[in-house]
Coordinates of all heavy atoms in Angstrom, one line a residue:
K18 N 94.2 102.2 122.3 CA 93.6 100.9 121.9 C 92.4 101.2 121.0 O 92.1 100.4 120.0 CB 93.2 100.1 123.1 CG 94.4 99.5 123.8 CD 93.9 98.6 125.0 CE 95.1 98.0 125.7 NZ 94.6 97.2 126.9
E19 N 91.6 102.2 121.3 CA 90.4 102.4 120.5 C 90.6 102.9 119.1 O 89.7 102.9 118.3 CB 89.5 103.4 121.2 CG 90.1 104.8 121.5 CD 90.7 104.9 122.9 OE1 91.2 103.9 123.4 OE2 90.6 106.0 123.4
H20 N 91.9 103.2 118.8 CA 92.2 103.7 117.5 C 92.6 102.6 116.5 O 92.7 102.8 115.3 CB 93.4 104.7 117.6 CG 93.1 105.9 118.3 ND1 94.0 106.5 119.2 CD2 92.0 106.7 118.4 CE1 93.5 107.6 119.8 NE2 92.3 107.8 119.3
V21 N 93.0 101.4 117.0 CA 93.8 100.5 116.2 C 93.0 100.0 115.0 O 93.6 99.7 113.9 CB 94.3 99.3 117.0 CG1 95.2 99.8 118.2 CG2 93.2 98.4 117.6
W22 N 91.7 99.8 115.0 CA 91.0 99.2 113.9 C 90.9 100.3 112.8 O 91.0 100.0 111.6 CB 89.6 98.7 114.2 CG 89.7 97.4 115.0 CD1 89.5 97.3 116.4 CD2 90.1 96.2 114.5 NE1 89.8 96.0 116.7 CE2 90.1 95.3 115.6 CE3 90.5 95.7 113.3 CZ2 90.5 93.9 115.5 CZ3 90.8 94.4 113.1 CH2 90.8 93.5 114.2
Q23 N 90.7 101.5 113.2 CA 90.7 102.6 112.2 C 92.1 102.8 111.6 O 92.2 103.1 110.4 CB 90.2 103.9 112.8 CG 88.8 104.0 113.2 CD 88.4 105.4 113.5 OE1 88.4 106.3 112.7 NE2 88.0 105.6 114.8
L24 N 93.1 102.6 112.4 CA 94.5 102.7 111.8 C 94.7 101.6 110.8 O 95.4 101.9 109.8 CB 95.5 102.6 113.0 CG 95.6 103.9 113.9 CD1 96.3 103.6 115.2 CD2 96.3 105.0 113.1
E25 N 94.3 100.4 111.1 CA 94.5 99.4 110.1 C 93.8 99.7 108.8 O 94.4 99.5 107.7 CB 93.9 98.0 110.6 CG 94.1 96.9 109.6 CD 93.6 95.6 110.1 OE1 93.9 95.2 111.3 OE2 93.0 94.8 109.4
E26 N 92.6 100.2 108.8 CA 91.9 100.6 107.6 C 92.6 101.8 106.9 O 92.7 101.8 105.7 CB 90.4 101.1 108.0 CG 89.6 101.5 106.8 CD 88.2 102.0 107.2 OE1 87.9 102.0 108.4 OE2 87.4 102.4 106.3
L27 N 93.1 102.7 107.7 CA 93.8 103.9 107.1 C 95.1 103.4 106.4 O 95.5 104.0 105.4 CB 94.2 104.9 108.2 CG 94.7 106.2 107.8 CD1 93.8 107.0 106.9 CD2 95.1 107.1 109.0
Q28 N 95.8 102.4 106.9 CA 97.0 101.9 106.3 C 96.7 101.4 104.8 O 97.4 101.7 103.9 CB 97.6 100.7 107.1 CG 98.3 101.1 108.3 CD 99.8 101.4 108.0 OE1 100.5 100.7 107.3 NE2 100.3 102.5 108.6
N29 N 95.5 100.8 104.7 CA 95.2 100.3 103.4 C 94.8 101.4 102.4 O 95.0 101.3 101.2 CB 94.0 99.3 103.5 CG 94.4 98.0 104.3 OD1 95.5 97.6 104.2 ND2 93.4 97.5 105.0
I30 N 94.2 102.5 103.0 CA 93.8 103.6 102.2 C 95.0 104.4 101.7 O 95.2 104.8 100.6 CB 92.8 104.5 102.9 CG1 91.5 103.8 103.2 CG2 92.6 105.8 102.2 CD1 90.6 104.5 104.1
V31 N 96.0 104.7 102.6 CA 97.1 105.5 102.4 C 98.2 104.8 101.5 O 98.8 105.5 100.7 CB 97.7 106.0 103.7 CG1 99.0 106.8 103.5 CG2 96.7 106.9 104.5
Y32 N 98.3 103.5 101.7 CA 99.4 102.8 101.0 C 98.8 101.6 100.2 O 99.1 100.4 100.4 CB 100.4 102.2 102.1 CG 101.0 103.2 103.0 CD1 100.7 103.1 104.4 CD2 101.8 104.2 102.5 CE1 101.3 104.0 105.2 CE2 102.4 105.1 103.4 CZ 102.1 105.0 104.7 OH 102.7 105.9 105.6
P33 N 98.0 101.9 99.2 CA 97.3 100.9 98.4 C 98.2 100.0 97.6 O 97.8 98.9 97.3 CB 96.3 101.7 97.5 CG 97.0 103.0 97.4 CD 97.6 103.3 98.7
T34 N 99.3 100.5 97.2 CA 100.2 99.7 96.4 C 101.4 99.1 97.2 O 102.2 98.3 96.6 CB 100.8 100.6 95.3 OG1 101.5 101.7 95.8 CG2 99.7 101.1 94.3
L35 N 101.5 99.4 98.5 CA 102.5 98.8 99.3 C 102.2 97.3 99.5 O 101.0 96.9 99.7 CB 102.6 99.5 100.6 CG 103.6 99.1 101.7 CD1 105.0 99.3 101.2 CD2 103.4 99.8 103.0
A36 N 103.2 96.5 99.5 CA 103.0 95.1 99.8 C 102.2 94.9 101.1 O 102.6 95.5 102.1 CB 104.4 94.3 99.9
P37 N 101.2 94.1 101.1 CA 100.3 93.9 102.3 C 101.1 93.5 103.5 O 100.8 94.0 104.6 CB 99.4 92.8 101.9 CG 99.3 92.9 100.4 CD 100.7 93.3 99.9
E38 N 102.2 92.7 103.4 CA 103.0 92.3 104.5 C 103.8 93.4 105.1 O 104.4 93.3 106.2 CB 103.9 91.1 104.2 CG 104.9 91.4 103.1 CD 104.5 91.2 101.7 OE1 103.2 91.1 101.5 OE2 105.3 91.0 100.8
E39 N 103.8 94.6 104.4 CA 104.6 95.7 104.9 C 103.6 96.8 105.4 O 104.1 98.0 105.6 CB 105.6 96.3 103.9 CG 106.6 95.3 103.6 CD 107.8 95.8 102.7 OE1 107.8 97.0 102.4 OE2 108.6 95.0 102.2
R40 N 102.4 96.5 105.6 CA 101.4 97.4 106.2 C 101.1 97.0 107.7 O 101.1 95.8 108.0 CB 100.1 97.4 105.5 CG 100.2 97.9 104.0 CD 98.8 97.9 103.4 NE 98.9 97.7 101.9 CZ 98.0 97.1 101.2 NH1 96.9 96.7 101.7 NH2 98.2 97.0 99.9
F41 N 100.8 97.9 108.5 CA 100.5 97.6 109.9 C 99.0 97.2 110.0 O 98.1 97.7 109.3 CB 100.7 98.8 110.8 CG 102.1 99.2 111.0 CD1 102.5 100.5 110.7 CD2 103.0 98.3 111.4 CE1 103.9 100.9 110.9 CE2 104.4 98.6 111.6 CZ 104.8 99.9 111.4
R42 N 98.8 96.2 110.9 CA 97.4 95.8 111.2 C 97.1 96.1 112.7 O 98.0 96.5 113.4 CB 97.2 94.3 111.0 CG 97.5 93.9 109.5 CD 97.1 92.4 109.3 NE 97.7 91.5 110.2 CZ 98.9 90.9 109.9 NH1 99.6 91.3 108.8 NH2 99.5 90.1 110.8
A43 N 95.9 95.9 113.1 CA 95.4 96.3 114.4 C 96.3 95.6 115.5 O 96.7 96.2 116.5 CB 94.0 96.0 114.6
E44 N 96.6 94.3 115.2 CA 97.4 93.6 116.2 C 98.8 94.2 116.4 O 99.4 94.1 117.5 CB 97.5 92.1 115.8 CG 98.2 91.9 114.5 CD 98.0 90.5 114.0 OE1 97.0 90.2 113.3 OE2 98.9 89.6 114.2
H45 N 99.3 94.7 115.3 CA 100.6 95.3 115.4 C 100.6 96.6 116.2 O 101.4 96.8 117.1 CB 101.1 95.7 114.0 CG 101.3 94.5 113.1 ND1 101.0 94.6 111.7 CD2 101.7 93.3 113.3 CE1 101.2 93.4 111.2 NE2 101.7 92.6 112.1
Y46 N 99.5 97.4 116.0 CA 99.4 98.7 116.8 C 99.3 98.4 118.3 O 99.8 99.1 119.1 CB 98.2 99.5 116.3 CG 98.5 100.2 115.0 CD1 97.9 99.8 113.8 CD2 99.4 101.3 114.9 CE1 98.1 100.5 112.6 CE2 99.6 102.0 113.8 CZ 99.0 101.6 112.6 OH 99.2 102.2 111.4
L47 N 98.5 97.3 118.6 CA 98.4 96.9 120.0 C 99.8 96.6 120.6 O 100.0 96.9 121.8 CB 97.4 95.8 120.2 CG 96.0 96.1 119.9 CD1 95.2 94.8 119.9 CD2 95.4 97.0 120.9
H48 N 100.6 96.0 119.8 CA 102.0 95.7 120.3 C 102.8 96.9 120.4 O 103.5 97.1 121.4 CB 102.6 94.7 119.4 CG 104.0 94.2 119.8 ND1 105.2 94.8 119.4 CD2 104.4 93.2 120.7 CE1 106.2 94.2 120.0 NE2 105.7 93.3 120.8
H49 N 102.7 97.8 119.5 CA 103.5 99.1 119.5 C 103.2 99.9 120.8 O 104.1 100.4 121.4 CB 103.2 100.0 118.3 CG 103.4 99.3 117.0 ND1 102.9 99.8 115.8 CD2 104.0 98.2 116.6 CE1 103.2 99.1 114.8 NE2 103.9 98.0 115.3
I50 N 101.9 100.0 121.1 CA 101.6 100.9 122.2 C 101.9 100.2 123.6 O 101.9 100.9 124.6 CB 100.1 101.3 122.2 CG1 99.1 100.1 122.3 CG2 99.8 102.1 121.0 CD1 97.7 100.5 122.2
K51 N 102.2 98.9 123.6 CA 102.8 98.3 124.8 C 104.3 98.5 124.8 O 104.9 98.7 125.9 CB 102.4 96.8 124.8 CG 101.0 96.5 125.1 CD 100.7 95.0 125.1 CE 99.2 94.7 125.4 NZ 99.0 93.2 125.3
M52 N 104.9 98.4 123.7 CA 106.4 98.3 123.6 C 107.0 99.7 123.7 O 108.0 100.0 124.4 CB 106.8 97.7 122.2 CG 108.3 97.6 122.0 SD 108.6 97.0 120.3 CE 108.1 98.4 119.3
F53 N 106.4 100.7 123.0 CA 107.0 102.1 122.9 C 105.8 103.1 122.7 O 105.7 103.7 121.7 CB 108.0 102.2 121.8 CG 108.7 103.5 121.7 CD1 109.1 104.3 122.8 CD2 109.1 104.0 120.4 CE1 109.7 105.5 122.6 CE2 109.7 105.2 120.2 CZ 110.0 106.0 121.4
P54 N 105.0 103.2 123.7 CA 103.7 104.0 123.5 C 104.0 105.4 123.1 O 103.2 106.0 122.3 CB 103.0 103.9 124.9 CG 104.1 103.5 125.9 CD 105.1 102.7 125.1
E55 N 105.0 106.1 123.7 CA 105.2 107.5 123.4 C 105.7 107.8 122.0 O 105.6 108.9 121.6 CB 106.2 108.1 124.4 CG 107.6 107.5 124.4 CD 107.7 106.4 125.5 OE1 106.9 105.5 125.5 OE2 108.7 106.5 126.2
G56 N 106.1 106.8 121.3 CA 106.5 106.9 119.9 C 105.5 106.8 118.8 O 105.8 106.9 117.6
Q57 N 104.2 106.5 119.3 CA 103.1 106.3 118.3 C 102.1 107.4 118.4 O 101.5 107.7 119.4 CB 102.5 104.9 118.6 CG 103.4 103.8 119.1 CD 104.6 103.6 118.2 OE1 104.5 103.6 117.0 NE2 105.8 103.3 118.9
F58 N 101.9 108.0 117.2 CA 100.9 109.2 117.2 C 99.9 109.0 116.1 O 100.1 108.3 115.1 CB 101.7 110.5 116.8 CG 102.8 110.8 117.8 CD1 104.1 110.5 117.6 CD2 102.4 111.4 119.0 CE1 105.1 110.8 118.5 CE2 103.4 111.8 119.9 CZ 104.7 111.5 119.7
C59 N 98.7 109.6 116.3 CA 97.7 109.6 115.2 C 97.0 111.0 115.2 O 97.2 111.8 116.2 CB 96.7 108.5 115.4 SG 95.7 108.6 116.9
A60 N 96.4 111.3 114.1 CA 95.6 112.5 114.0 C 94.1 112.2 114.0 O 93.7 111.3 113.2 CB 96.0 113.2 112.7
V61 N 93.3 112.8 114.8 CA 91.9 112.5 114.9 C 91.1 113.8 114.6 O 91.4 114.9 115.1 CB 91.6 112.0 116.3 CG1 90.1 111.7 116.5 CG2 92.4 110.8 116.7
Y62 N 90.0 113.6 113.8 CA 89.1 114.7 113.5 C 87.7 114.2 113.7 O 87.3 113.3 112.9 CB 89.4 115.2 112.1 CG 88.6 116.4 111.7 CD1 88.8 117.7 112.4 CD2 87.6 116.4 110.7 CE1 88.0 118.8 112.0 CE2 86.8 117.5 110.4 CZ 87.1 118.7 111.0 OH 86.3 119.8 110.7
E63 N 86.9 114.8 114.6 CA 85.6 114.4 114.8 C 85.4 112.9 115.0 O 84.6 112.2 114.4 CB 84.7 114.9 113.7 CG 84.6 116.4 113.5 CD 83.7 116.9 112.4 OE1 83.4 116.1 111.5 OE2 83.4 118.1 112.4

Side-chain angles (χ1 to χ4, degrees):
K18 290 181 180 179
E19 59 263 34
H20 297 140
V21 301
W22 289 105
Q23 287 193 65
L24 285 164
E25 178 176 321
E26 181 181 2
L27 187 59
Q28 283 273 315
N29 296 328
I30 294 170
V31 172
Y32 305 115
T34 57
L35 181 64
E38 63 272 18
E39 295 188 12
R40 298 181 207 151
F41 291 127
R42 301 191 301 275
E44 65 192 82
H45 299 141
Y46 284 110
L47 289 172
H48 185 266
H49 302 167
I50 60 181
K51 289 181 180 178
M52 180 184 68
F53 181 36
E55 61 265 53
Q57 323 308 321
F58 300 99
C59 66
V61 180
Y62 184 67
E63 297 179 345

